[in-house]
Amino acid sequence: MMDRSHRATSSNDSHLQSRKKILLGIVAGIVIVIAVAAILTFTMSVTSGTIGNAFPFVTHLAVSFPDGNTVAIGNSQIAVMAYNGSVITDADGNREQLAVGQTRIISPRHATISIFGVPVYNADFQITLQYLGSTGSKDNFDLIIATSKKLPSFLLDRLLPPSVSAHAV
């Protein structure tokens, strides 16, 4: 008789284990669906107006722009072209020529990040470019992003397009 009760207990334990696995699978599936939905509904909008905040948080990056090509940083269209030891920068239609070591400040912007249509991050930011020279088909800059709130790294990844090589300084 002991043999039967041992089998019954074993069967119940096995059944309970299988229920736990099914429940764990369902929870994991729900988490995956929510994560995918969050990624698909992730939006970042950048507007030219700012709220008027100061920019106490600063991120320094060494960047290389492709010479002669336009890239989008936020909603700013930036094109650079090397010319006689200097570079011509075009930011949203405003051209300026920079010699090595000169800087250019791009007008402040406001960024809003939303997930599931709900704003989760708002900040003003300003970009400053300092021309460092050209190497081959790349124009090198020290890019400074000053923000009103701490800049999450995933936002920085979204601001810079893949055609711009960047690394922290």
Side-chain angles (χ1 to χ4, degrees):
M1 281 206 182
M2 288 251 216
D3 197 46
R4 284 185 189 173
S5 68
H6 179 61
R7 286 184 186 163
T9 304
S10 235
S11 176
N12 284 341
D13 285 345
S14 172
H15 187 59
L16 186 59
Q17 291 268 343
S18 127
R19 278 188 168 178
K20 284 182 181 178
K21 286 181 182 178
I22 291 171
L23 185 59
L24 185 60
I26 291 171
V27 169
I30 290 171
V31 168
I32 289 170
V33 166
I34 290 172
V36 168
I39 290 169
L40 292 175
T41 62
F42 177 90
T43 58
M44 181 177 74
S45 64
V46 178
T47 58
S48 59
T50 62
I51 299 172
N53 293 325
F55 303 113
F57 300 98
V58 178
T59 302
H60 290 268
L61 298 170
V63 298
S64 295
F65 290 105
D67 189 61
N69 294 329
T70 301
V71 296
I73 298 180
N75 69 340
S76 290
Q77 299 295 317
I78 299 174
V80 296
M81 182 174 287
Y83 175 75
N84 284 342
S86 64
V87 70
I88 298 172
T89 61
D90 184 330
D92 298 326
N94 296 318
R95 289 185 179 189
E96 192 174 318
Q97 187 168 351
L98 300 176
V100 173
Q102 284 187 310
T103 60
R104 175 169 186 183
I105 297 172
I106 298 173
S107 61
R109 306 275 193 239
H110 182 79
T112 301
I113 295 178
S114 300
I115 298 176
F116 299 118
V118 177
V120 293
Y121 180 84
N122 285 296
D124 291 338
F125 69 96
Q126 181 172 305
I127 296 172
T128 302
L129 295 169
Q130 181 181 23
Y131 181 53
L132 302 176
S134 296
T135 52
S137 64
K138 299 283 186 178
D139 299 317
N140 306 308
F141 293 86
D142 180 23
L143 179 101
I144 300 168
I145 302 175
T147 58
S148 60
K149 292 182 182 175
K150 186 153 177 62
L151 183 67
S153 61
F154 72 89
L155 175 58
L156 185 59
D157 294 339
R158 295 280 295 201
L159 272 175
L160 298 173
S163 62
V164 175
S165 59
H167 62 277
V169 177

